[in-house]
Amino acid sequence: MARKLLEGQTAELYVLDVASGERRLVLSSDELLFEAPNWVGDWLVVNGDGGLFRVPVSGDGELERIELGGVPEINNDHVVSPDGSTVYVSAEDGHLYAVPLAGGAGRRVSNEHGVHHYLHGVSPDGSRLAYIGLENRDGLRITNVWTVPAAGGDDVQVTDDDFADDGAEYGPDGEWIYFNSERAGQAQLFRINQGVVEQLTFDERVNWFPHPSPDGSRVAYVSFPPGTEGHPENVEDVRVRVLEDGQVREVARLFGGQGTMNVPSWSPDGRQFAYVAYPIK
């Protein structure tokens, strides 16, 4: 079921300049709880109420609905192809779909292999999708990193363990996949390439959803207070951080969490990214 705004709550879409730290409000709504911005050209794409919308980055315009071409209601895990022609979405039926942004019928990408699919990344050449596969093993919820051809085909399992993994996203070289995992205790950021795993963050906070910049020099992510379980909504002390040259820099503090920055939201030039806050006034 799609999330709704609480009484007195607004959804606020911001664009943040990484170098200066300055942010600009693009859109505010006290009616629609929108989430998870993707950046494509001069537009930002968000989901809300089971659908998909776009709004000009300039803020000079309102939300426009993107037709999903018969795809079931979606959640907040969606990515746009590198050429900007297709949006790939995670639907509430557990599958991944490709939807032409110019309009047309949606196409199911994922296979039936016993997992619920949560999409987070597309390879730089547009050929593969990275997703989290959720399955139940003996009553336990197990999540692992998987990939699948964007055109359809056989899945490849990247991780195979009992650790809670999420947020699988390709780096710009197409070799490393970035993700968050509880393999170090609470959630921290990692990346994996041909079975080699590197840990990227080592602090006391709970770190989720790594988003490498287009040139690979920075990783933006969402940081929750110590002791947070999962990635809940409506958290008081959520921080948006940037990892660069091994150093962590805090660029925003907000009320939010779930929906703030679940998916890739960097601008094409890597100078800005988008996120959503959910203040209650």
Side-chain angles (χ1 to χ4, degrees):
M1 180 179 295
R3 290 172 56 205
K4 305 292 183 183
L5 291 169
L6 303 176
E7 184 176 355
Q9 188 172 39
T10 60
E12 296 180 346
L13 175 62
Y14 289 95
V15 165
L16 183 138
D17 183 282
V18 177
S20 68
E22 295 181 359
R23 68 176 188 172
R24 174 174 56 86
L25 180 63
V26 175
L27 179 72
S28 178
S29 175
D30 58 6
E31 297 180 353
L32 178 68
L33 192 156
F34 54 78
E35 305 175 282
N38 301 132
W39 196 309
V40 51
D42 295 327
W43 298 86
L44 293 171
V45 174
V46 296
N47 67 283
D49 199 26
L52 204 63
F53 303 83
R54 68 177 190 170
V55 63
V57 174
S58 65
D60 185 21
E62 300 296 325
L63 286 172
E64 299 179 10
R65 181 177 290 275
I66 298 172
E67 295 302 324
L68 292 178
V71 170
E73 286 193 359
I74 66 168
N75 57 40
N76 59 18
D77 296 324
H78 41 81
V79 299
V80 179
S81 64
D83 65 5
S85 66
T86 304
V87 59
Y88 298 98
V89 300
S90 302
E92 294 293 359
D93 66 354
H95 283 288
L96 309 180
Y97 293 84
V99 178
L101 278 171
R107 169 180 58 87
R108 201 179 93 178
V109 176
S110 53
N111 301 300
E112 295 283 1
H113 62 113
V115 306
H116 195 109
H117 302 73
Y118 294 96
L119 179 65
H120 285 275
V122 58
S123 61
D125 64 3
S127 67
R128 297 194 72 84
L129 304 177
Y131 69 91
I132 295 298
L134 168 65
E135 56 185 315
N136 290 307
R137 295 182 188 171
D138 300 323
L140 298 176
R141 289 165 56 88
I142 305 297
T143 53
N144 277 292
V145 177
W146 296 73
T147 69
V148 66
D154 293 336
D155 301 86
V156 172
Q157 187 166 359
V158 178
T159 65
D160 186 8
D161 51 58
D162 293 342
F163 302 115
D165 298 334
D166 211 329
E169 187 171 321
Y170 279 97
D173 62 3
E175 300 295 330
W176 291 93
I177 293 178
Y178 292 70
F179 65 109
N180 59 268
S181 175
E182 294 181 3
R183 64 192 58 221
Q186 63 186 18
Q188 296 290 334
L189 306 187
F190 296 83
R191 65 177 188 169
I192 185 169
N193 181 6
Q194 297 183 356
V196 177
V197 178
E198 293 183 359
Q199 186 169 346
L200 304 177
T201 58
F202 300 85
D203 56 79
E204 76 285 355
R205 292 183 63 86
V206 177
N207 300 316
W208 277 74
F209 299 137
H211 306 303
S213 61
D215 67 359
S217 66
R218 297 163 169 154
V219 178
Y221 63 99
V222 179
S223 183
F224 290 89
T228 301
E229 295 184 359
H231 52 298
E233 61 194 65
N234 298 327
V235 176
E236 181 69 35
D237 182 25
V238 172
R239 306 180 186 185
V240 178
R241 291 180 163 182
V242 173
L243 176 66
E244 182 176 10
D245 295 328
Q247 300 298 311
V248 173
R249 179 161 57 99
E250 197 166 287
V251 294
R253 293 191 181 192
L254 54 94
F255 186 85
Q258 180 65 266
T260 288
M261 199 167 66
N262 293 52
V263 292
S265 63
W266 282 96
S267 61
D269 62 10
R271 297 179 179 178
Q272 305 173 83
F273 60 78
Y275 68 91
V276 185
Y278 301 97
I280 298 177
K281 301 175 180 179

